[in-house]
């Protein structure tokens, strides 16, 4: 008989062990080595059997064992020291507090994401977006950045993956008991659970419980709709991550955005935490947070829609992660309209226009994110460029380089992803602050080649043991018998060059590129002198049959008795598996279709452990590949024939592995591959400080959060005076702008000669019709630089012209342009709206060019 509901009965342990509860209730244990050691020592066998889940383990520890620990003075001293250390970690000033002594920083920042990958014990993530969000919170905690995270609590998380006999992906959705997860319910002063609600169509209401996962210093609020106040359909809104149809997905995003803001208000009221001044939405899924904040200002402060929008925009940061339009959530406009039931104070068409795109029937979540966020960014330099091109239509008339989307390259949380042995070397040579502060990595030069190589051998051997364990488990699940699996005991070899490939399995990541020439791949795997072994993992979206076909194709190849000891596909890729892969592989392979990999942080995690990257120059690798930290696979980007492109790039991959990677790995002097270790050392030294999530979060604080907070402070001051004035000014400018025109431009060389020479200056004079706007409301610029054969400016420079007078209803502007290089040179003059409250001159999307 199947149980109706599941619950977890937690252990009651002796008073002497009470600090265990404090340590386990804060997810810092998941990346803190000493805490993990202590928890394992409670009952090592049970720790492994419970999947290193301390809550589950403590629920199964016997009373006799607890009594024994309560008398163990050595254990109690360790417990007290760790509890004290946690207390200091949570309360002592860190980077943010020290910076705030001399710089104005926001008191609180809200960070919204549809998924968070903190630990495998809290399975609320599917891939890179969630892992990035988890690392963002962890690094913010380490730096003392006062973030509140907001997400959803999915009843089944993301799916567990297994394989059928023939290699087809199978999905399983185990029910998660909130009481058994490392979270606590938010309660009011009377101890009652705090819940929020939002309206649904047809008079229905969606209620949600607020759970808190404490991520170091950062509270992560998770909204759960599976509560008794909801009807049967509403209880299923948070059933699965990225599950269900369009309406289900829309309701999840309404709950995340609108419900998330209401959860923050409830949390701040219950805890006394300052209200956030900056709201950061990690991808467009949480975009409705802006609509809710507009509603708050309209209903609570009497602002009109336009003034409220300007106030909300000022403090909103939007990060886009997708490099293709197909990755954006888009809903029927009519469906969104039907779900605006609880927004009666707002003009429906104005809300719907926030998500407008070329198709008038569609509501585009990314477009809403860009219209509500005054500051926006991609997640690598190349992705910033791709994003500016992808969204350029929202700023017509501007060159793509001027589209106001910047970039902050992702980073990874070193204490989570670095192997203990590498971490200890770093802390020994560089100090414990290295992983948060980011400097001093050149000290790795003090580590001998033999020590680095010994650690790499140890980690590879550990990975091989884990591969064998997981291979056996997978084959047994697929229907093999123990008698058929004796060969697994010798599968993979701790002395063989090991390549790792693990990620989600959409088509653009090209899981099966290595199979383009199966015989060539077999030759690499079975080379008698320089063999290669490859470990592969990844999940395909449950609805993506194309991705499942790729997995099945890979599994069939890996099942071949000729090569199965050298290549394998391991199912159920998660944080737990990922750590072993990042620790132990020698090379991390990434071969996406350039430029479709927004960042690709998995290679960063491998690099932090001394692995070398072998990748198409996409995402972060395009930015930081330097020729000595790995290898770049030649991209055939631009070829119209996708099969031809795949063939060329696959053969470039084979050639690199055979002629460069394997030859260097097996080139030994006294059993140490000196040139390989030099690359490992260089990777740690040069990439170490760059790939850290601490560096990323500091960039967000300095480049986005701080200016957003300053803008919001101006907008909210004096009864929203600046917001009201900016809204009125913007409406006036948009009305008058059609009459703004650059009517005439003259130029003259300052030298007076007829020939332009390097070092000369060109004086430009422009007559501009301002359409009723004052000169203070307009910037008139000369834009100049080299030109191509179509007379298009290449990497132009802009300089403001000065007003020199008015005549006959026009205004004259003048300025000098330097001639600094030889060759074809061009210029133009343009007018742009000007207001000190704008974050960018392109912000309004208005331009008048000569």
């Amino acid at each position: 008989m199947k149980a109706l509901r599941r619950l977890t009965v937690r252990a009651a342990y002796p008073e002497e062990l009470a600090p265990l509860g404090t340590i386990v209730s804060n997810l810092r244990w998941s990346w803190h080595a000493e805490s993990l050691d202590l928890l394992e020592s409670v009952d090592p066998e049970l720790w492994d059997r419970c999947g290193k889940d301390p809550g589950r383990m403590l629920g199964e520890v016997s009373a006799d064992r607890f009594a024994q620990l309560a008398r163990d003075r050595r254990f109690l001293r360790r417990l007290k020291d760790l509890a004290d250390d946690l207390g200091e970690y949570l309360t002592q000033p860190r980077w943010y507090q020290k910076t705030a002594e001399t710089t104005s920083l926001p008191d609180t920042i809200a960070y919204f994401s549809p998924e968070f990958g903190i630990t495998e014990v809290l399975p609320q993530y599917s891939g890179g977006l969630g892992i990035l969000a988890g690392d963002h919170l962890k690094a913010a905690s380490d730096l003392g950045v006062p973030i509140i995270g907001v997400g959803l609590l999915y009843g089944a998380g993301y799916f567990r993956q297994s394989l059928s006999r023939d290699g087809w992906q199978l999905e399983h959705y185990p029910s998660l008991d909130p009481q058994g997860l490392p979270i606590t319910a938010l309660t009011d002063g009377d101890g009652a659970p705090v819940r929020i609600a939002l309206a649904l169509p047809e008079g229905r209401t969606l209620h949600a419980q607020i759970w808190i996962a404490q991520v170091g210093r950062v509270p992560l609020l998770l909204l759960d709709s599976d509560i008794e106040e909801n009807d049967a359909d509403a209880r299923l809104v948070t059933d699965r991550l990225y599950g269900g149809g369009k309406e289900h997905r829309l309701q999840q995003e309404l709950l995340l955005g609108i419900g998330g803001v209401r959860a923050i208000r409830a949390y701040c009221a219950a805890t006394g935490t300052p209200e956030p001044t900056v709201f950061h939405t990690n991808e467009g899924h949480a975009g409705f947070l802006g609509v809710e904040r507009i509603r708050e200002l309209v209903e609570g402060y009497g602002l009109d829609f336009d003034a409220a929008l300007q106030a909300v925009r000022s403090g909103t940061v939007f990060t886009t992660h997708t490099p293709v339009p197909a990755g954006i959530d888009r809903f029927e406009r009519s469906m969104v309209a039907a779900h605006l039931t609880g927004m009666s104070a707002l003009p429906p068409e104005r809300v719907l226009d926030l998500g407008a795109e070329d198709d008038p029937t569609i509501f585009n979540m990314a477009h809403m994110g860009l219209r509500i966020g005054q500051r926006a960014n991609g997640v690598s330099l190349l992705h910033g460029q791709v994003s500016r091109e992808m969204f350029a239509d929202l700023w017509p008339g501007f060159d793509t380089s001027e589209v106001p989307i910047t970039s902050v390259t992702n980073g990874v949380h070193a204490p989570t992803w670095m192997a203990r042995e590498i971490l200890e070397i770093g802390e020994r040579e560089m100090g414990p602050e290295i992983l948060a502060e980011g400097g001093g990595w050149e000290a790795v030069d003090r580590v001998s080649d033999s020590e680095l190589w010994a650690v790499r051998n140890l980690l590879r051997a550990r990975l091989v043991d884990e591969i064998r364990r997981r291979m056996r488990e997978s084959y047994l699940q697929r229907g093999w018998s123990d008698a058929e699996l004796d060969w697994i005991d010798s599968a993979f070899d701790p002395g063989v060059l090991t390549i790792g490939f693990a990620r989600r399995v959409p088509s653009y990541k090209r899981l099966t590129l290595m199979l383009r020439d199966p015989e060539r791949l077999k030759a690499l795997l079975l080379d008698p002198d320089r063999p290669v072994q490859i470990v592969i993992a990844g999940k395909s979206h449950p609805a993506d049959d194309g991705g499942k076909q790729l997995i099945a194709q890979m599994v069939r190849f890996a099942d071949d008795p000729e090569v199965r000891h050298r290549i394998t596909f391991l199912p159920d890729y998660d944080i737990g598996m990922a750590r072993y892969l990042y620790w132990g592989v020698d090379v991390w392979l990434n071969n996406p279709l350039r430029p479709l990999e927004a960042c690709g942080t998995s290679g960063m995690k491998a690099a932090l452990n001394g692995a070398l990257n072998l990748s198409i120059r996409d995402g972060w690798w395009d930015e930081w590949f330097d020729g000595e930290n790995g290898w770049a696979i030649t991209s055939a980007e631009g070829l119209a024939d996708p099969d031809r492109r795949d063939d060329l790039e696959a053969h470039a991959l084979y050639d690199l592995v055979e002629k460069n990677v394997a030859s260097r790995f097996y080139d030994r002097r006294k059993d140490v591959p000196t040139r390989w270790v030099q690359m490992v050392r260089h990777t740690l030294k040069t990439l170490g400080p760059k790939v850290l999530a601490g560096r990323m979060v500091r960039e967000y604080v300095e480049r986005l959060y701080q200016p957003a907070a300053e803008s919001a402070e101006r907008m909210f001051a004096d009864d929203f005076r600046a917001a009201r004035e900016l809204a009125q000014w913007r409406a006036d400018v948009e009305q008058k702008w059609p009459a703004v025109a650059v009517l005439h431009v003259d130029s003259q060389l300052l030298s007076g000669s007829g020939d332009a020479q390097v070092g000369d200056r060109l004086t430009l004079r422009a007559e501009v019709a301002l359409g009723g706007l004052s000169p203070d409301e307009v910037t008139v610029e000369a834009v100049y630089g080299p030109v191509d054969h179509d007379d298009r400016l290449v990497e132009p420079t802009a300089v403001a012209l000065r007003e020199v007078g008015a005549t006959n209803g026009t205004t004259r502007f003048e300025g000098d342009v330097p001639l600094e290089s030889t060759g074809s040179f061009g210029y133009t003059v343009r007018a742009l709206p000007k207001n000190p409250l704008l974050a960018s001159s392109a912000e309004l999307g208005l331009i008048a060019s000569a």
Side-chain angles (χ1 to χ4, degrees), residues 614-625:
L614 172 61
S615 176
I616 295 285
R617 290 194 63 167
D618 201 1
W620 75 276
W621 190 237
D622 181 71
E623 192 172 334
W624 289 333
F625 168 67

Side-chain angles (χ1 to χ4, degrees), residues 561-613:
E562 185 180 6
V563 296
R564 65 189 181 186
H565 63 299
R566 286 280 187 260
I567 185 169
T568 190
F569 181 93
L570 300 180
D572 209 25
Y573 182 45
D574 68 355
I575 289 174
M577 182 197 296
R579 287 196 186 97
Y580 283 95
L581 296 176
Y582 300 142
W583 297 343
V585 299
D586 299 294
V587 173
W588 193 259
L589 173 62
N590 190 24
N591 45 229
L593 282 167
R594 189 181 192 274
L596 302 184
E597 183 79 274
C599 186
T601 56
S602 58
M604 295 180 174
K605 298 163 193 150
L608 275 178
N609 289 285
L612 306 179
N613 275 267

Side-chain angles (χ1 to χ4, degrees), residues 173 308 345 719:
Y173 293 90
D719 190 29

Side-chain angles (χ1 to χ4, degrees), residues 186-215:
L186 177 65
T187 57
D188 61 20
D190 297 325
V194 175
R195 292 173 175 173
I196 58 93
L198 59 148
L200 293 178
E202 300 176 353
R204 297 169 60 229
T205 301
L206 174 61
H207 301 269
Q209 166 73 52
I210 304 170
W211 297 93
I212 304 172
Q214 195 63 40
V215 186

Side-chain angles (χ1 to χ4, degrees), residues 111 115-118 129-139 215 413:
Y111 181 88
E115 50 176 297
F116 286 91
I118 309 295
L129 180 70
I131 299 299
L132 180 276
D135 282 6
H136 195 108
L137 297 195
K138 294 174 186 176
V215 186
H413 186 243

